Structure formats: C-alpha cells, structure tokens
C-alpha cells in the first residue's frame, strides 16, 4: 500500500510540473534566473547604493557588477568606448588604504602592503611605480589620488596604468577608488568624469 501511495504522489507531482511548464512556468523560472545573474540597469543601481549614489553617471559608462567581492562591497564599471575599468570598494571595517596613505611619501610601500592584504589568486601585480600625485572630485569633495604603472601577470593585458584614491562618503566610511586600463590607453579625463558623478 505504501508503494502505491508513493507512485501516486510521484504521478501527481509530475502532472503538476507538466501543468506548470505548459502555463509558462519554464519562461518564468528562466526569467528569474536571468535577472539574478544578469540584472537590469535599475537593479544594478539599487545594489550599488550600498557603496554610493551612481544615478548621475552618464551613458558612456556601464555598471558591470555591484556585489560583495572577497568580503567587500564593490561596484565595477566600464567606459564603453575605451574599455577603461573603474572600481569603487567599500571595505567596511577592514581599512585597505587611507587618504593619509595616498598623500604620504612612501605611498608605493603602502600600495604594496594593500595589495598583499587583498591578494587575488588569479592576478599578480609586479613592478608597481607611482608616477604622479594629484586630486580629483568624488563624493562631493576633492580627494587625493596617485597615478601608477604596473605589470599584471596571469592576465592578457600586461602593462597597466591608472589611479588609486580614497574618498570619504557621507556616512563617514572610506571608499577605495581605482581606475585602470592598458598603460597606453589610460585616460585621467575618463576617471575624473566617472568619479565626480558619484555622491
């Protein structure tokens, strides 16, 4: 008798699944999965709100990812025409770099130390050199940055150029700002345009 009951349950479950699928259930589930792994622009902006207000960035930029990465909340964006990447990282209580670190004379050493904290197995950065100090506008205030050049191993790019900065958001937390591209394609104008729109 117990075996017959299990067969009837399995049959009912099978019929229920077939009915669900015939009424468009497959498309519904497929849509949920697609939206989770490839969220819309609005969903991406909502996730990015944990790190800052990205609603004013223009159409030249695309937010590619807004999620927790290696224990940090981060937003990854790309300048569509050049491929230049921008990263905004909220490290929470685990401070990676400070504005004083960026302004210091031994900033290269501080950057190397920060890289060792967030070492990522698939990428290795060598020959990091700071080439310039400057300021830009982000989160509603002027923030210091350093321009760098480095060699990246285990990626097809090779030599990269970019900037590293730290900004204080309105909630008083530090945000690590990074922009990078292939060494000869990096543009400070693109970085300035993107970061100044973040509040």
């Amino acid at each position: 008798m117990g075996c017959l009951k299990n067969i009837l349950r399995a049959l009912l479950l099978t019929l229920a699944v077939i009915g669900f699928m015939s009424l468009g259930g497959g498309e519904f589930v497929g849509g949920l999965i697609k939206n989770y792994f490839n969220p819309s622009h609005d969903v991406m902006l909502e996730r990015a709100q944990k790190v800052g207000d990205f609603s004013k960035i223009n159409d030249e930029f695309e937010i590619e990812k807004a999620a927790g990465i290696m224990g940090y909340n981060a937003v990854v964006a790309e300048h569509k025409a050049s491929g230049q990447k921008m990263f905004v990282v909220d490290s929470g209580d685990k401070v990676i770099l400070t504005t004083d670190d960026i302004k210091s004379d031994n900033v290269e050493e501080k950057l190397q130390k920060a890289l060792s904290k967030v070492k990522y197995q698939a990428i290795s950065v060598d020959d990091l050199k700071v080439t310039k100090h400057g300021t830009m506008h982000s989160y509603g205030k002027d923030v210091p940055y350093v321009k760098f050049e480095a060699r990246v191993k285990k990626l097809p790019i090779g030599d990269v150029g970019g900037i590293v900065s730290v900004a204080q958001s309105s909630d008083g937390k530090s945000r690590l700002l990074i922009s990078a591209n292939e060494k000869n394609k990096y543009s400070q104008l693109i970085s300035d345009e993107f970061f100044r729109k973040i509040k």
Side-chain angles (χ1 to χ4, degrees):
M1 197 63 153
C3 186
L4 184 59
K5 203 184 264 186
N6 287 339
I7 291 171
L8 284 174
R9 279 186 191 154
L11 185 61
L12 282 173
L13 183 61
T14 303
L15 289 173
V17 168
I18 290 170
F20 178 71
M21 295 305 236
S22 67
L23 294 172
E27 290 174 17
F28 174 74
V29 171
L32 287 175
I33 291 169
K34 181 180 178 239
N35 287 338
Y36 182 78
F37 290 107
N38 298 312
S40 69
H41 179 70
D42 292 338
V43 170
M44 203 68 86
L45 279 176
E46 188 179 313
R47 289 181 186 172
Q49 290 298 322
K50 293 178 184 173
V51 179
D53 180 359
F54 291 81
S55 62
K56 302 284 191 266
I57 63 169
N58 63 38
D59 292 340
E60 291 177 62
F61 301 96
E62 178 181 9
I63 294 179
E64 293 183 329
K65 200 177 270 315
I69 299 172
M70 299 185 304
Y72 305 106
N73 285 322
V75 173
V76 180
E78 180 180 56
H79 182 254
K80 294 176 190 173
S82 69
Q84 187 161 313
K85 299 279 190 186
M86 277 68 59
F87 305 86
V88 181
V89 181
D90 171 10
S91 60
D93 296 332
K94 304 172 240 172
V95 177
I96 300 170
L97 286 169
T98 66
T99 51
D100 289 338
D101 292 338
I102 298 295
K103 294 177 188 175
S104 75
D105 291 335
N106 62 340
V107 67
E108 275 183 30
E109 184 183 312
K110 304 268 186 186
L111 289 173
Q112 291 288 1
K113 198 172 185 182
L115 279 171
S116 69
K117 281 185 194 174
V118 292
K119 202 154 204 153
Y120 187 57
Q121 297 282 337
I123 301 169
S124 148
V125 178
D126 291 329
D127 303 328
L128 179 78
K129 287 184 292 210
V130 170
T131 59
K132 180 183 173 186
H133 287 259
T135 58
M136 65 181 181
H137 201 75
S138 190
Y139 285 92
K141 52 188 90 135
D142 289 333
V143 296
Y145 72 82
V146 288
K147 193 169 181 183
F148 70 88
E149 293 175 358
R151 181 176 305 274
V152 179
K153 289 186 177 174
K154 301 179 186 174
L155 279 182
I157 301 171
D159 292 342
V160 297
I163 60 161
V164 177
S165 180
V166 176
Q168 294 284 357
S169 63
S170 57
D171 62 8
K173 293 183 178 176
S174 290
R175 302 289 193 256
L176 183 63
L177 312 176
I178 302 169
S179 181
N181 204 345
E182 290 178 53
K183 187 175 163 182
N184 57 350
K185 292 183 180 178
Y186 174 77
S187 166
Q188 186 60 38
L189 292 173
I190 290 171
S191 296
D192 289 342
E193 175 66 18
F194 178 80
F195 290 124
R196 77 183 170 86
K197 300 283 187 178
I198 304 170
K199 302 284 183 208

